Amino acid sequence: MKSSLRCFALLSLLWLPMAQRISAETAKPMEKKAFGTTSDGKAADLYVLTNKNGMEVSITNYGGIVTSIKVPDRSGKMADVVLGYDALDGYVADKVYFGALVGRYCNRIGHAEFSIDGTKYTLAKNNGDNTLHGGIKGFNKALWDAKDVSKRDEPALELTYLSKDGEEGFPGNLKVTVVFTLTGKNELKIDYSATTDKKTVVNLTNHSYFNLAGQGSGDILKTVLRIEADKITPVDSGLIPTGDLKSVQGTPFDFRKPTAIGERINADDEQLKLGKGYDHNFVLIKNKPNGLTLAARAEEPTSGRVLEVWTTEPGTQLYTGNFLDGSIHGKGGVAYTQRSAFCLETQHFPDSPNHPKFPSTLLAPGQRYHTTTIYKFSSK
Ligand code: GLA
């Protein structure tokens, strides 16, 4: 009797690691493919992450760009739900930041300047009088070092980049690490971290353009959106925050109850006119600052696909593809027309370096910048 018990215990011990091995085999190993050569002769790669459910995310180390996200609809039919291009040259020429990893400072810095401890830093003006998305050559045009950091059944890609002191006018050597993890719960989790050797400002985001019916399948006006925000940072004509926080109550910016994006997008509203639609930072309701909370939930009624955005960031920019005008031909040659996608760019507020009352984007030597954003997909 005793010996059969011992035998059973031994068998269970052997079985346990075997069971772990089996579950580890359910996610496909990350695939690495050549993705072309940049004009200065550098080779870029494409990394394909597939989870145990068959959800697939492709990321290139050129610009840390998420080039495709394939997820099922309510009947299990897969579609690529982000706008982009078929090949590297599209991303090299791109000016609208499809899928991009945006930095060193995403969104706008007013008059292309800011000061730290009385020293003024002047940046490139690439958006009227302002700096947009890191300047002329932002992080989205850099070649990042890539490493497969997959764990058990969660494929993960780590990208690192050293943004040198003075790059695009920003002070300090900034070491940036971004980890993309595809979880078994159909989440694309992005962890951003950075350290500096001189005081600087940092604000990193991902600029995916979502169309939950599938990229290239028309506008997103019927997509029903909820945003966990009771205020926005209203902007001036250059889309720079005025510094005020404006309540969404009674305005087309109130997405606290799920509302179709198109329902009020053409309303007679000064802020909507300035943005040519939604192009605004929403101040997220946070019960604990820096805690991971739900920022937004989007549901596409035809396919049933649902996207939830979770973040540690205090804000999210809702941009409804107002500047797309059909002149860009993306994947499969499809013309991307106005409002054929929406972005939820989680971030600190635009122009924070010039608004001391906004949550700070300052990073000092010895500190570590760390933020997390999760794009979670499901269907209903
Ligand atoms: C952001 C900006 C928009 C636009 C897009 C890129 O979302 O807020 O105004 O510049 O990026 O086209």
Side-chain angles (χ1 to χ4, degrees):
M1 186 65 184
K2 267 186 184 165
S3 74
S4 67
L5 256 178
R6 233 177 281 135
C7 181
F8 177 75
L10 193 70
L11 273 173
S12 349
L13 274 176
L14 282 171
W15 169 246
L16 194 68
M18 207 193 291
Q20 276 172 358
R21 273 202 304 276
I22 289 169
S23 86
E25 277 160 15
T26 51
K28 257 174 57 181
M30 188 186 300
E31 209 186 321
K32 178 180 172 183
K33 300 178 191 170
F35 196 51
T37 311
T38 60
S39 51
D40 48 359
K42 289 184 186 141
D45 294 306
L46 190 71
Y47 296 84
V48 184
L49 287 64
T50 312
N51 73 3
K52 59 179 183 188
N53 315 318
M55 174 176 166
E56 189 195 281
V57 175
S58 300
I59 303 160
T60 171
N61 64 328
Y62 177 78
I65 296 166
V66 175
T67 62
S68 91
I69 300 181
K70 292 181 185 161
V71 284
D73 69 2
R74 65 163 76 87
S75 66
K77 194 170 157 246
M78 301 294 271
D80 183 355
V81 295
V82 287
L83 274 52
Y85 308 96
D86 288 323
L88 179 68
D89 54 359
Y91 292 102
V92 170
D94 172 85
K95 290 194 171 58
V96 297
Y97 304 87
F98 283 154
L101 198 176
V102 186
R104 177 180 305 201
Y105 197 98
C106 65
N107 214 316
R108 293 170 177 80
I109 295 183
H111 306 295
E113 60 183 38
F114 64 94
S115 296
I116 299 176
D117 297 338
T119 306
K120 190 162 131 182
Y121 296 97
T122 307
L123 313 170
K125 292 183 177 175
N126 64 333
N127 188 243
D129 193 36
N130 310 314
T131 304
L132 176 68
H133 293 330
I136 293 165
K137 187 174 183 270
F139 288 4
N140 58 308
K141 301 287 180 196
L143 203 64
W144 294 63
D145 288 326
K147 192 167 143 196
D148 182 347
V149 291
S150 302
K151 283 198 199 108
R152 296 196 58 210
D153 58 354
E154 292 196 338
L157 178 72
E158 180 185 276
L159 297 181
T160 48
Y161 175 62
L162 170 67
S163 170
K164 296 226 175 88
D165 185 15
E167 187 180 277
E168 294 295 315
F170 290 97
N173 288 297
L174 188 77
K175 279 192 195 156
V176 191
T177 302
V178 181
V179 180
F180 296 86
T181 306
L182 177 57
T183 76
K185 290 183 278 177
N186 285 8
E187 299 163 321
L188 173 62
K189 178 170 174 248
I190 313 181
D191 283 290
Y192 304 87
S193 41
T195 54
T196 184
D197 59 3
K198 214 188 254 183
K199 278 188 186 172
T200 190
V201 292
V202 194
N203 199 8
L204 306 177
T205 196
N206 172 269
H207 208 305
S208 286
Y209 282 68
F210 297 101
N211 184 327
L212 297 177
Q215 67 84 29
S217 66
D219 68 55
I220 44 74
L221 299 176
K222 291 200 178 71
T223 297
V224 176
L225 186 63
R226 184 173 116 203
I227 304 181
E228 300 293 312
D230 50 14
K231 296 182 195 80
I232 60 161
T233 48
V235 290
D236 65 17
S237 59
L239 301 187
I240 300 296
T242 59
D244 298 335
L245 302 182
K246 187 175 184 244
S247 167
V248 297
Q249 183 72 42
T251 76
F253 292 85
D254 194 347
F255 282 97
R256 291 172 297 182
K257 282 205 191 87
T259 310
I261 293 175
E263 197 169 308
R264 303 161 301 185
I265 201 166
N266 295 317
D268 185 13
D269 176 275
E270 192 215 348
Q271 284 296 314
L272 281 178
K273 283 185 187 145
L274 290 170
K276 295 188 167 54
Y278 296 103
D279 194 354
H280 295 80
N281 171 60
F282 286 70
V283 178
L284 298 172
I285 300 164
K286 291 262 160 189
N287 28 31
K288 46 177 178 159
N290 309 322
L292 187 66
T293 51
L294 181 68
R297 184 179 187 279
E299 191 179 322
E300 200 284 309
T302 315
S303 65
R305 287 194 190 89
V306 174
L307 165 66
E308 278 181 12
V309 181
W310 292 74
T311 191
T312 58
E313 290 281 21
T316 187
Q317 182 90 358
L318 169 64
Y319 171 59
T320 45
N322 313 313
F323 301 123
L324 297 177
D325 59 6
S327 61
I328 298 173
H329 291 258
K331 297 173 190 172
V334 180
Y336 291 140
T337 48
Q338 198 190 33
R339 298 178 182 157
S340 58
F342 65 91
C343 306
L344 286 163
E345 304 154 53
T346 54
Q347 55 181 217
H348 268 57
F349 306 168
D351 200 29
S352 295
N354 294 312
H355 296 280
K357 284 194 187 138
F358 286 176
S360 175
T361 52
L362 194 74
L363 183 72
Q367 296 177 334
R368 187 166 172 266
Y369 168 94
H370 185 235
T371 69
T372 301
T373 290
I374 296 174
Y375 293 104
K376 182 182 167 90
F377 295 87
S378 58
S379 64
K380 233 188 106 183

